[in-house]
Amino acid sequence: MTEGNTTALFQVFDQSTKALMQALDISYLDAFIETADNMIDNNTVRVEDGIPSEKVVKELVDLYKTVDYKKMDAPSIRRAIQMVMIKAIKVDKIQSTHQITPDTIAYIMGYLIIRLYKNKTKVSILDPVVGSGNLLTAVMNQLHDEIHEEVKGYGVDNDDSMISVASISAQMQGLDIELIHQDSVGDEIMIPNVDLVVADLPIGYYPIDENAKKYKTHAENGHSYVHHLLLEQSISYLKDGEFGVFLVPSNLFQTPEAKGLLSWMQDNVYLQGILNLPKELFLNDSAQKAIMILQKHGNGAKQADKVMLGEFPSFKDTNAFQKFMAEIVDWEEKDLLKK
């Protein structure tokens, strides 16, 4: 992965997006979707009723010719799209539920996952809240690098703009991802059961109580937590004995609603690990998140002798961080995956 490729591609994305934003009078995000689609369509600029003008079309085509994303590695492309999304969030004031998973966290999740799936030649992955696809594609790239075989992704999101960005990301990176535009909680997801679930779960309440009632994790009174419902829904699409790796609030088990969640977990999954991320990454303690590793019952799965509990040291303390990661790898090898 080269920083130069990422920067060059981002600059083309950004400049062409701003040109289309002005020419079409649309948001930064919509203009990015338009320009990326142009690039995927062999640098062909779509014109309707003379808009954009010939001058803008020439400007865009000249810009597109300065890079060839097809010759770039997938991580460089993903990072350039991530940079676009960070700018779109600021320019368009996009709601916080569409914030992207930071690379550092995505890579840590991928690093943990590689140990769990290193002996498989084929892996299918579901992200039920795929958003722009940053987490899913980061993990898929890491698995591709490790197992060099077939990695199939499924991504679900109810926001059409996010699904469009995820589609662009998948196409440009050459990843095999099937994207589904729907509410992951409200509707059945028409996919086969998968080997792995990975998700950065949105935090908050799910607004449609009627949909929530079919879940064992629903609240007895009032709205249910959407992250509880998504955990239950995600595990239902996981093959027996396989893993879900989730980004969850650190206080997941400290709320009044946790009783129903724990009851469901006891009957369906083994809590194999929960690792708090450094407090320095978050605005306050209540916003702190953790990586949670769940294993679905069945197919010989059992509770690890030692549940991995802890908190990552500061990412700035390289030695302590590397030591902690080594301890996790050791636990995965000796405790979690022990036959």
Side-chain angles (χ1 to χ4, degrees):
M1 180 171 61
T2 63
E3 198 65 38
N5 279 345
T6 297
T7 302
L9 184 56
F10 167 71
Q11 287 175 345
V12 170
F13 281 154
D14 184 48
Q15 290 173 39
S16 59
T17 294
K18 288 188 286 191
L20 279 170
M21 189 180 175
Q22 185 173 1
L24 304 179
D25 191 22
I26 55 177
S27 69
Y28 186 93
L29 181 58
D30 286 341
F32 166 67
I33 292 168
E34 181 83 13
T35 201
D37 282 340
N38 291 344
M39 293 173 74
I40 290 168
D41 192 19
N42 297 314
N43 297 339
T44 303
V45 181
R46 275 164 288 219
V47 178
E48 288 186 21
D49 299 326
I51 300 174
S53 66
E54 287 185 16
K55 180 184 176 184
V56 173
V57 169
K58 184 179 184 307
E59 178 187 338
L60 291 170
V61 172
D62 288 345
L63 262 175
Y64 297 153
K65 287 178 180 176
T66 63
V67 296
D68 185 356
Y69 75 85
K70 293 175 184 176
K71 293 181 179 177
M72 295 182 184
D73 59 285
S76 293
I77 296 167
R78 183 188 59 76
R79 285 178 61 85
I81 293 172
Q82 180 190 38
M83 290 167 71
V84 168
M85 290 305 299
I86 290 169
K87 181 157 186 178
I89 286 165
K90 293 176 182 174
V91 173
D92 295 342
K93 298 179 174 58
I94 293 173
Q95 57 183 310
S96 60
T97 53
H98 293 315
Q99 302 287 341
I100 57 177
T101 309
D103 259 13
T104 307
I105 297 172
Y107 276 119
I108 291 171
M109 293 174 77
Y111 190 78
L112 299 177
I113 287 164
I114 284 170
R115 298 295 163 303
L116 305 177
Y117 291 88
K118 66 179 182 179
N119 294 322
K120 286 183 180 284
T121 56
K122 293 184 179 180
V123 180
S124 55
I125 311 174
L126 167 65
D127 184 341
V129 282
V130 71
S132 63
N134 193 58
L135 175 60
L136 178 59
T137 58
V139 171
M140 288 181 70
N141 284 331
Q142 285 172 274
L143 282 169
H144 268 303
D145 290 344
E146 184 68 23
I147 65 178
H148 307 294
E149 289 288 346
E150 185 180 331
V151 183
K152 167 76 175 181
Y154 298 93
V156 185
D157 205 282
N158 63 356
D159 186 292
D160 54 355
S161 293
M162 291 298 112
I163 283 287
S164 294
V165 175
S167 177
I168 287 162
S169 186
Q171 289 180 75
M172 285 191 158
Q173 293 183 67
L175 296 172
D176 182 9
I177 301 177
E178 183 178 324
L179 294 162
I180 302 158
H181 180 212
Q182 70 170 64
D183 174 2
S184 285
V185 170
D187 303 306
E188 181 183 356
I189 305 170
M190 302 304 291
I191 61 168
N193 281 9
V194 295
D195 301 304
L196 167 68
V197 177
V198 61
D200 179 351
L201 296 177
I203 311 305
Y205 292 104
Y206 182 72
I208 309 171
D209 295 336
E210 194 61 37
N211 289 344
K213 285 179 183 175
K214 65 184 178 184
Y215 293 90
K216 292 179 181 176
T217 52
H218 79 271
E220 292 183 12
N221 298 297
H223 291 327
S224 303
Y225 276 141
V226 67
H227 44 294
H228 290 191
L229 305 177
L230 282 165
L231 280 169
E232 183 177 346
Q233 177 77 316
S234 297
I235 296 300
S236 73
Y237 288 93
L238 198 57
K239 294 175 184 175
D240 288 351
E242 298 293 359
F243 293 91
V245 181
F246 302 95
L247 200 59
V248 298
S250 291
N251 66 352
L252 182 68
F253 301 118
Q254 296 164 11
T255 65
E257 291 83 359
K259 183 179 176 183
L261 176 65
L262 287 165
S263 175
W264 166 79
M265 287 176 64
Q266 190 171 12
D267 293 336
N268 293 277
V269 296
Y270 299 111
L271 173 60
Q272 303 290 26
I274 187 159
L275 303 161
N276 286 322
L277 291 161
K279 288 187 173 71
E280 69 196 35
L281 298 181
F282 306 96
L283 293 174
N284 51 59
D285 288 356
S286 64
Q288 187 179 15
K289 290 191 176 185
I291 296 172
M292 182 168 71
I293 301 172
L294 300 179
Q295 187 175 17
K296 188 172 182 177
H297 288 177
N299 197 28
K302 62 183 190 301
Q303 183 66 58
D305 293 337
K306 173 185 168 188
V307 176
M308 189 56 160
L309 302 172
E311 180 164 331
F312 283 94
S314 169
F315 292 164
K316 297 170 187 172
D317 188 341
T318 309
N319 290 334
F321 179 76
Q322 289 177 344
K323 182 181 176 185
F324 189 71
M325 290 300 288
E327 288 174 4
I328 296 172
V329 169
D330 192 57
W331 164 76
E332 285 184 319
E333 299 284 355
K334 295 180 178 177
D335 292 284
L336 185 57
L337 301 176
K338 184 176 71 175
K339 297 298 182 186

